[in-house]
Amino acid sequence: QIYNIKAINLSLGTPNQKYTSECNSSYTTAFANARNAGVVPVVAAGNDGFVDGVSTPACTTGAVRVGAVYDSNIGRAAWSNCTDATTAADKVTCFSNGGKLLTLFAPGSSIVAAGVTQSGTSQASPHVAGVIAVLRSNKVSPQETIDQTIKRLQTTGKPITDHRNGLVTSRIDLLAATSALSIVN
């Protein structure tokens, strides 16, 4: 790997298409090739509010599928397809797609970058891509496989219960994920 790329973020998707199991898509070969090269495809799960499915390309085999939680309490939050009467840090947003395919949660509302505030799973997935890049860097965990890195994030992350479906999925926690690792100088 000439450029030492560890993760790619895909903040895109096809709205109103729900997948409850992994799918073959035009991204299947690209994701397989990326993983074979040691690069993790991280994909926004979608913002349709599906409680039991994700959009495409998040459904594609090999994707790390990311849903959104609130970063803090912002009070009542109305979105184009749903409303959260109350919000709190780590509460799953009503717009986030979810279900058994979801890999991880990350803060996705309301995220401020370059002076602009945005919300969506497209705000959550870059957090995960960044954390994966740190964990997979040559100085942090050079021997760990992609699947081991993902499992590390799932086992060290904060367990979040999706109030809409009762499923528990971890919210990333970089400090916890790195606490057991010995950093290589």
Side-chain angles (χ1 to χ4, degrees):
Q1 283 194 316
I2 297 170
Y3 299 106
N4 201 25
I5 297 169
K6 301 297 182 182
I8 52 175
N9 174 60
L10 290 102
S11 294
L12 52 90
T14 304
N16 302 316
Q17 289 185 356
K18 177 171 69 171
Y19 293 86
T20 57
S21 60
E22 288 190 336
C23 66
N24 286 317
S25 73
S26 59
Y27 294 86
T28 301
T29 300
F31 284 9
N33 290 342
R35 286 179 71 108
N36 287 336
V39 179
V40 183
V42 179
V43 187
N47 302 318
D48 301 294
F50 298 142
V51 299
D52 61 348
V54 299
S55 64
T56 183
C59 61
T60 306
T61 301
V64 171
R65 303 160 184 102
V66 182
V69 295
Y70 286 99
D71 184 46
S72 62
N73 182 351
I74 60 170
R76 182 179 183 275
W79 310 104
S80 63
N81 59 342
C82 63
T83 299
D84 281 317
T86 61
T87 61
D90 289 331
K91 179 181 178 184
V92 178
T93 64
C94 64
F95 60 76
S96 180
N97 288 350
K100 293 179 182 179
L101 278 183
L102 203 63
T103 309
L104 293 161
F105 280 118
S109 185
S110 294
I111 307 304
V112 179
V116 177
T117 303
Q118 294 287 322
S119 295
T121 57
S122 290
Q123 305 308 308
S125 59
H127 287 97
V128 174
V131 166
I132 287 173
V134 168
L135 288 176
R136 296 200 43 77
S137 73
N138 293 334
K139 292 186 181 227
V140 178
S141 55
Q143 304 305 318
E144 202 168 65
T145 68
I146 289 173
D147 290 336
Q148 288 170 331
T149 300
I150 294 165
K151 189 68 167 172
R152 173 182 300 284
L153 289 171
Q154 292 173 319
T155 58
T156 62
K158 180 179 179 181
I160 303 295
T161 301
D162 188 334
H163 62 281
R164 306 166 305 164
N165 58 23
L167 296 174
V168 177
T169 304
S170 293
R171 190 257 298 134
I172 56 168
D173 182 336
L174 180 59
L175 183 60
T178 57
S179 65
L181 297 171
S182 55
I183 308 301
V184 179
N185 286 328

